Amino acid sequence: MSYQNTHILKLHYNISKKFNFKNPVVTVGAFDGVHLGHKKIASTLVEKAKEINGESVIISFFPHPRTVLNPNSKSIQLITSQKEKFFMLQNLGIDHLVILPFTNEFSQISYKQFVEDYICKLFKTHTLVIGYDHQFGKEREGNYEQLLVLSKELKFNVEQIPALDMQNIAVSSTKVREALNEGNVTLAKQYLGHEYFIVGKIIKGNRIGNTIGYPTANVNFDEKLKLLPANGVYAVLVKYKDQLLKGMLNVGIRPTIGESEKTIEVNIFDFSEEIYKKEICVFFVERMRDELKFSGLEELTQHLHKDKELCLKILR
């Protein structure tokens, strides 16, 4: 994937205002992960907008619908935070991202009312693009056939991405989560079409890494439901400002020093700048090993030497 963004994506939270999108080509979805299936929809959106001299618009939700409909569930894991989703969609050339507030009241809106009030009246949609199996509205009762009927009545176009196109991609957010929970970031990349990544700020740690020649930066992120790959050591790329740096990262509890709280700490190679409270983006390239408990700092240091050698081979 590209690590530099030149396209400007406009973000809209205030839905009380009037929208004046030009011939808007619209799709609707949570877009968690922005995986290959999502990218197929997004590319179709951009292409259709160019054909009619229009603008591409994605309507998404916050909070994620699952967190509202299942507030007590402990199994909810988000692949992307709002900030990360914005980054990805900007990379795909989308013109507008509209975030609708998702509430229990909103979840009771029928598909017909949603189409009338939002798709037509609020956004004045020219063309609505959906996946072949897309369902929406209260209890997911709306489907393509019903949309076709409504589109004739309400005067907008509806296009469905063929099943073959989507099935060839054969990917879902569930598959991405399963791969990450196993620590298989290589498989996750195949599903996503890009390295799995996290965006976060650097917080203070115990600085033990400084004493053994491997200073680490502890990464903290705002999205508490963000899915972390399985505990272990990973080869990573770190984007800081306009730099793309190499490094290795540990996800886990650091058993050698007797910790129990899960942390993310990254050792950035050949980098000495003070980045406390600064934001970085970490791309997971490959999992190198499990998190291990060593006899002490000396054995840990020896193993880190080997880890770095392997990491540099991977990133080369």
Side-chain angles (χ1 to χ4, degrees):
M1 67 174 287
S2 170
Y3 302 105
Q4 299 291 337
N5 289 305
T6 55
H7 182 78
I8 297 175
L9 169 63
K10 295 179 181 177
L11 180 61
H12 307 270
Y13 277 104
N14 181 10
I15 62 170
S16 64
K17 70 176 185 179
K18 287 186 177 181
F19 290 95
N20 294 307
F21 301 144
K22 184 179 181 181
N23 294 334
V25 182
V26 176
T27 194
V28 183
F31 277 75
D32 187 28
V34 194
H35 55 58
L36 286 175
H38 296 139
K39 289 176 181 177
K40 176 63 180 177
I41 294 172
S43 65
T44 302
L45 218 63
V46 172
E47 289 169 11
K48 295 291 180 185
K50 286 181 179 177
E51 288 175 9
I52 62 171
N53 193 27
E55 295 178 292
S56 53
V57 182
I58 288 179
I59 302 172
S60 194
F61 311 100
F62 185 81
H64 190 287
R66 290 181 62 203
T67 66
V68 175
L69 300 175
N70 303 287
N72 298 319
S73 174
K74 296 182 179 179
S75 64
I76 297 174
Q77 297 174 307
L78 300 183
I79 302 170
T80 46
S81 66
Q82 282 293 93
K83 183 178 290 188
E84 292 163 355
K85 185 190 298 184
F86 183 86
F87 172 86
M88 289 303 305
L89 294 176
Q90 180 169 263
N91 234 16
L92 297 178
I94 297 296
D95 295 314
H96 301 276
L97 173 61
V98 180
I99 304 297
L100 298 182
F102 196 92
T103 62
N104 279 307
E105 182 182 12
F106 182 84
S107 72
Q108 297 304 304
I109 295 176
S110 69
Y111 79 92
K112 185 175 182 181
Q113 184 183 349
F114 180 78
V115 172
E116 290 176 346
D117 292 350
Y118 290 87
I119 299 301
C120 294
K121 290 180 182 177
L122 184 61
F123 301 113
K124 299 178 177 59
T125 298
H126 178 285
T127 302
L128 179 65
V129 177
I130 61 171
Y132 76 97
D133 59 349
H134 186 78
Q135 294 174 295
F136 62 99
K138 182 182 178 181
E139 297 179 354
R140 298 172 64 82
E141 60 190 357
N143 57 34
Y144 177 61
E145 287 72 25
Q146 291 162 325
L147 271 177
L148 278 178
V149 174
L150 275 177
S151 68
K152 292 179 175 62
E153 176 187 335
L154 299 172
K155 310 299 183 189
F156 67 94
N157 300 314
V158 58
E159 296 203 19
Q160 184 183 48
I161 297 177
L164 183 61
D165 287 355
M166 296 297 286
Q167 288 170 343
N168 283 342
I169 295 170
V171 66
S172 68
S173 296
T174 299
K175 286 185 177 181
V176 175
R177 292 186 185 97
E178 289 172 350
L180 292 171
N181 280 319
E182 294 172 1
N184 194 339
V185 294
T186 307
L187 179 59
K189 178 182 178 180
Q190 292 178 26
Y191 290 144
L192 291 166
H194 60 267
E195 291 96 348
Y196 187 62
F197 67 94
I198 59 172
V199 174
K201 288 187 178 180
I202 303 304
I203 58 174
K204 284 188 176 178
N206 54 25
R207 305 186 73 83
I208 289 179
N210 292 57
T211 67
I212 58 175
Y214 287 91
T216 59
N218 288 53
V219 187
N220 182 53
F221 42 90
D222 295 332
E223 179 52 76
K224 302 305 178 186
L225 297 177
K226 171 74 175 179
L227 172 56
L228 287 178
N231 288 5
V233 178
Y234 296 83
V236 298
L237 292 171
V238 178
K239 183 181 179 184
Y240 173 63
K241 294 182 179 179
D242 60 348
Q243 303 175 75
L244 192 62
L245 309 159
K246 298 176 181 179
M248 57 184 181
L249 175 145
N250 184 79
V251 177
I253 60 172
R254 299 178 292 181
T256 303
I257 60 174
E259 296 285 341
S260 58
E261 185 178 344
K262 194 166 187 173
T263 61
I264 315 163
E265 50 182 353
V266 58
N267 171 235
I268 305 173
F269 302 151
D270 304 317
F271 183 78
S272 58
E273 189 174 335
E274 176 56 63
I275 56 174
Y276 175 55
K277 293 186 178 181
K278 303 293 186 180
E279 186 174 86
I280 64 171
C281 181
V282 179
F283 299 87
F284 290 79
V285 178
E286 188 173 317
R287 188 173 189 266
M288 299 191 291
R289 64 169 173 84
D290 292 338
E291 184 180 40
L292 304 172
K293 182 176 181 178
F294 300 103
S295 59
L297 293 181
E298 184 176 347
E299 185 183 7
L300 170 62
T301 304
Q302 292 172 357
H303 217 93
L304 288 175
H305 289 327
K306 297 176 183 177
D307 289 338
K308 184 174 182 179
E309 289 179 7
L310 175 59
C311 187
L312 288 171
K313 286 181 181 178
I314 293 168
L315 297 177
R316 189 176 300 137

